[in-house]
Amino acid sequence: MADCIFCRIAGKEIPSQVVYEDDAILAFNDINPQAPVHVLFIPKEHIASLAETEDRHRDLLGRMLLAVRRVAEDRGLGQGYRVVNNCGSQGGQTVNHLHVHLLGGRSMQWPPG
Ligand code: 5GP
Ligand code: ZN
């Protein structure tokens, strides 16, 4: 998707601070961090949102969460962290390429806004 900012980040057309990468997933620091650690995990394949995932994405989705856990360990988030997926307009999604936020390094509040 040429007009998708996260596809362009996945294709390295737009630079990002990469913290994890494998054949299917890229993780990079959020440009507007909301916590001391704020990392975004995206599939390299364009998927618009969690609502667009299918059964064939089972392995990819599992690998994304395992990548989150790995980065959380690497970043020393042993006291806990939050994993967020904003899905759709009412979910607060602003970039229409599936992504998971890892937020950590401070105490989180509940409920979210
Ligand atoms: P959403 O609101 O869709 O769940 O999250 C989109 C996230 O992408 C936001 O936290 C925003 O700061 C981040 N973001 C948007 N554009 C860029 C960019 O060009 N580079 C990086 N690293 N993050 C971005
Ligand atoms: Zn995309």
Side-chain angles (χ1 to χ4, degrees):
M1 290 266 296
D3 59 346
C4 172
I5 192 161
F6 283 1
C7 280
R8 295 180 69 191
I9 287 174
K12 309 287 172 66
E13 288 173 51
I14 295 176
S16 67
Q17 296 178 330
V18 174
V19 300
Y20 173 84
E21 181 170 15
D22 62 32
D23 60 305
I25 296 162
L26 186 73
F28 52 95
N29 288 327
D30 196 292
I31 203 168
N32 183 23
Q34 301 301 310
V37 174
H38 188 171
V39 178
L40 301 173
F41 295 74
I42 65 170
K44 291 183 174 177
E45 170 191 355
H46 181 84
I47 304 168
S49 78
L50 191 63
E52 270 70 46
T53 58
E54 301 172 358
D55 287 353
R56 68 185 172 89
H57 296 121
R58 181 183 295 118
D59 184 63
L60 173 69
L61 291 168
R63 287 173 60 183
M64 286 178 69
L65 282 181
L66 291 171
V68 169
R69 188 261 294 153
R70 179 188 297 203
V71 171
E73 286 176 359
D74 290 348
R75 300 295 282 270
L77 300 181
Q79 295 188 78
Y81 49 88
R82 181 165 291 173
V83 182
V84 173
N85 171 252
N86 297 323
C87 181
S89 57
Q90 284 205 339
Q93 184 175 3
T94 60
V95 177
N96 292 325
H97 179 128
L98 175 65
H99 53 281
V100 173
H101 299 252
L102 167 63
L103 296 149
R106 65 169 172 82
S107 291
M108 301 294 157
Q109 306 298 313
W110 193 263

